[in-house]
Amino acid sequence: MMAYKTPVGLYYSKEHEWVKLEGNLAKVGITDFAQSKLGDVVYVELPEVGKAVLQATEQKSKEMEIGAAESIKAVSSIYSPISGTVKEVNEALKDQPELLNTKPYDEGWLCVIDAKDAAADLKNLIDSKSYEAHIATLE
Amino acid sequence: MKILPLSKIHRKYGAQMVEFAGWEMPLKYIAIADEHMAVRGAAGIFDVSHMGEFKIRGKGALALLQKVTTNDVSKLAIGAAQYSTVLNERGGTRDDVVVYRMGEEDYMLVCNASNVEKIGGWIRKHAKDVEIEDVTMTTVLLAIQGPKALKILQKISSIDLSQIKRFKWAWGDVAGIKVVASRSGYTGEDGIELYLYDVPQSNPAIAEKLWEAIIKAGAPEGLKPCGLGTRDTTRLEAGLCLYGNDLNEEISPLEAKIDFVVKFDKGDFIGREALLKQKENGLKKVKVGLRMIEAGIPRKDHNIFKDGVEIGVVTSGTFSPLIKVGIAMGFVTPDLKIGDRVSIEIHGNKKAAEIVKLPFYDTTRYGYSRVASV
């Protein structure tokens, strides 16, 4: 089994997005496990700044989408792990989509969301240890 | 799921395996982009043993092939092959195939993996005085493709491969193993396809020996094992149709712009009347190449618009590892011309694209007719 990075201090969704919370601002990206499954990302579709997004549930809707990552073969939608308004997007991904693969937890972040009710949303997310256990069941 | 004779070898080389047309196939070994660039710049080896092969022999062989395929098999010499299509009565494509003339009344029909049963049934239905043998499960087919493919294979071949011209073939020994070497492929590049017959599923040793010998001869030249991912990106850059995407029972070879496989003057064949009618009435849709102007990757089933009006649909799309832009083939109304601006709806947003000629790459620099020597 491959070892995937799951930094502590981040919150994770079971669908492989991470959240780094600073006050009400949530920086969001995809996990090392997610990027590894996607393969080499060649294009990243970013959300529009100002878009109101909902925390993803099992039943997906357009309002939960914060972009898409495309490899040569496939396209995967990315869903928001937290509700709020898109405040900033990572423009660097437009020219360097590979950052999603090489640095998923720092330079490969996707967007910053101004969280509506971070405390409530965090209850639906898991910590590093639980996420690690979760991906172990998927391999 | 059908297992390739070389399945173990693919795992050894780190392949990610996927299901395709009922077969477990290598999708990629390391990264599609690297494999792709190996094919364009040096060489790649593909295991395409999932392809269907029928041996068709006997007095009625020519008549059968003339009836069920659109190209003129009477013009096919022993030692030659031809690209062709098999049509339904409506002129739609049942499959795109390659017909080899192996001997006097002896042919090989190569069809797509997804269509082996359909085509087998179809040719048997129309057969008279012929013996048809499906050798798909015991035939290993390796495609060595790229500007250095011949140079690599020549090191371990008993025959002069440069004497085999495009779409010709010959028997020869490669790594001491008797194969049919065909100067053909599905990447747009020069290359050879090797047919190794009579490989028992239970004992693939001979096929493994062939694969390993080619890898050994090719590694110093930059040859890489390539999976279906690269098969798709290379064929799409070359503007070649994929059955199930750019060809199906509702698409005629005229619409798919492969008219050169249709020989109306050869006499009757299944679909001829329907194609003549299409010609007379004018085509309703035609295949075009599309290149993104705005960022985005077009995919199958994305709609194509011109001036806000829907005019067609994408049938194949990908990110081109060579040109580093989204490319696609699709079917549009026949009034569209090379250079026309259109838009493709990707994830709900209309993105600008241009109708371009095929193949997508500069043919003086890439593909089998490239000028630059390697």
Side-chain angles (χ1 to χ4, degrees):
Chain A
M1 200 192 112
M2 272 181 71
Y4 300 102
K5 292 189 192 110
T6 55
V8 287
L10 303 183
Y11 299 92
Y12 297 87
S13 75
K14 286 195 169 179
E15 287 159 326
H16 316 294
E17 285 88 19
W18 57 262
V19 175
K20 186 179 180 185
L21 205 59
E22 280 168 10
N24 261 343
L25 294 182
K27 194 177 253 190
V28 170
I30 67 167
T31 67
D32 188 29
F33 177 85
Q35 70 79 16
S36 146
K37 294 297 160 197
L38 279 171
D40 292 344
V41 173
V42 291
Y43 177 70
V44 181
E45 177 100 16
L46 294 164
E48 273 177 38
V49 172
K51 181 184 178 178
V53 294
L54 294 175
Q55 184 179 40
T57 58
E58 267 182 42
Q59 197 71 41
K60 298 289 182 292
S61 72
K62 276 265 166 213
E63 290 73 41
M64 299 170 188
E65 274 189 32
I66 48 168
E70 303 212 28
S71 66
I72 289 172
K73 281 303 286 181
V75 50
S76 306
S77 293
I78 303 172
Y79 294 99
S80 186
I82 200 154
S83 298
T85 309
V86 176
K87 197 173 159 47
E88 194 185 343
V89 296
N90 184 2
E91 298 282 343
L93 291 175
K94 286 185 178 169
D95 291 328
Q96 295 171 273
E98 66 274 12
L99 289 174
L100 220 57
N101 291 115
T102 55
K103 293 176 176 166
Y105 295 112
D106 34 83
E107 287 169 56
W109 61 279
L110 195 75
C111 62
V112 173
I113 292 169
D114 194 348
K116 210 164 55 187
D117 189 355
D121 285 352
L122 288 189
K123 288 179 190 151
N124 301 319
L125 301 175
I126 53 181
D127 67 6
S128 162
K129 229 184 170 106
S130 307
Y131 179 67
E132 208 172 293
H134 170 61
I135 54 179
T137 66
L138 304 175
E139 285 281 276
Chain B
M1 199 152 46
K2 299 182 192 109
I3 304 295
L4 295 167
L6 288 173
S7 178
K8 270 197 193 132
I9 287 275
H10 299 315
R11 285 171 204 285
K12 176 182 151 187
Y13 282 85
Q16 179 191 339
M17 306 297 281
V18 292
E19 200 256 326
F20 177 79
W23 288 82
E24 187 197 53
M25 297 292 294
L27 172 67
K28 59 174 182 180
Y29 296 82
I30 298 166
I32 294 173
D34 294 345
E35 295 168 22
H36 182 102
M37 293 313 290
V39 173
R40 293 276 177 249
I45 177 169
F46 301 77
D47 181 357
V48 286
S49 304
H50 64 311
M51 299 294 285
E53 293 91 7
F54 291 93
K55 287 185 175 172
I56 300 171
R57 299 188 188 96
K59 269 208 321 262
L62 175 61
L64 169 63
L65 290 166
Q66 287 291 63
K67 185 173 182 185
V68 300
T69 70
T70 55
N71 213 330
D72 190 351
V73 188
S74 75
K75 298 272 168 65
L76 193 59
I78 297 170
Q82 66 183 194
Y83 183 51
S84 193
T85 52
V86 177
L87 305 185
N88 60 34
E89 296 286 358
R90 294 173 287 114
T93 309
R94 305 220 77 195
D95 204 2
D96 61 330
V97 298
V98 179
V99 179
Y100 286 80
R101 184 149 179 219
M102 312 302 291
E104 206 48 54
E105 293 176 339
D106 186 356
Y107 297 86
M108 173 171 69
L109 177 76
V110 181
C111 73
N112 283 292
S114 52
N115 291 330
V116 174
E117 279 166 29
K118 180 172 87 176
I119 291 302
W122 186 248
I123 55 178
R124 286 193 176 96
K125 183 178 156 186
H126 296 284
K128 219 172 130 189
D129 298 324
V130 290
E131 193 188 305
I132 296 169
E133 188 188 357
D134 178 353
V135 296
T136 303
M137 296 309 292
T138 52
T139 303
V140 165
L141 174 54
L142 299 179
I144 299 88
Q145 301 282 301
K148 293 187 178 178
L150 261 75
K151 183 185 171 194
I152 290 165
L153 277 183
Q154 194 58 63
K155 294 188 203 172
I156 50 171
S157 297
S158 66
I159 52 169
D160 183 355
L161 298 172
S162 69
Q163 292 304 306
I164 305 171
K165 300 302 171 195
R166 211 160 162 76
F167 267 81
K168 300 286 187 288
W169 66 271
W171 285 104
D173 285 0
V174 176
I177 298 162
K178 192 184 178 196
V179 291
V180 162
S182 168
R183 187 94 173 253
S184 51
Y186 190 48
T187 61
E189 297 294 338
D190 193 4
I192 297 275
E193 293 180 291
L194 300 176
Y195 291 86
L196 172 59
Y197 299 115
D198 303 319
V199 179
Q201 184 88 44
S202 56
N203 184 14
I206 191 162
E208 291 174 357
K209 185 185 162 196
L210 180 61
W211 170 281
E212 296 285 23
I214 297 165
I215 293 277
K216 194 177 163 203
E221 309 286 344
L223 171 132
K224 287 200 167 98
C226 299
L228 284 185
T230 297
R231 187 164 162 83
D232 191 50
T233 53
T234 49
R235 72 88 195 169
L236 185 45
E237 275 182 358
L240 301 171
C241 293
L242 171 64
Y243 194 85
N245 283 43
D246 319 298
L247 284 172
N248 62 38
E249 300 264 356
E250 311 305 321
I251 298 172
S252 82
L254 305 183
E255 293 167 332
K257 295 272 176 186
I258 47 172
D259 314 46
F260 63 94
V261 304
V262 182
K263 302 289 157 62
F264 287 106
D265 55 4
K266 76 167 185 172
D268 196 28
F269 59 86
I270 296 167
R272 184 173 185 267
E273 289 305 312
L275 292 190
L276 284 172
K277 216 163 259 162
Q278 275 190 5
K279 267 187 110 160
E280 198 185 304
N281 298 340
L283 302 176
K284 293 198 168 50
K285 57 176 191 280
V286 290
K287 189 187 83 178
V288 291
L290 298 146
R291 182 181 164 136
M292 296 308 296
I293 294 169
E294 284 185 85
I297 304 174
R299 305 282 183 185
K300 185 176 195 282
D301 299 330
H302 287 173
N303 290 321
I304 306 168
F305 297 82
K306 175 139 183 73
D307 306 323
V309 181
E310 191 181 320
I311 49 139
V313 65
V314 170
T315 48
S316 286
T318 193
F319 176 81
S320 161
L322 182 69
I323 325 172
K324 304 217 180 318
V325 68
I327 58 169
M329 294 197 295
F331 284 79
V332 299
T333 48
D335 52 307
L336 278 269
K337 299 178 301 293
I338 304 284
D340 280 355
R341 291 281 187 109
V342 296
S343 61
I344 301 176
E345 192 171 334
I346 302 174
H347 311 309
N349 300 312
K350 289 194 181 113
K351 301 279 183 76
E354 187 184 359
I355 308 271
V356 294
K357 70 174 177 51
L358 298 170
F360 288 96
Y361 46 74
D362 175 354
T363 52
T364 65
R365 294 178 60 205
Y366 300 100
Y368 61 86
S369 56
R370 66 174 72 196
V371 181
S373 62
V374 189

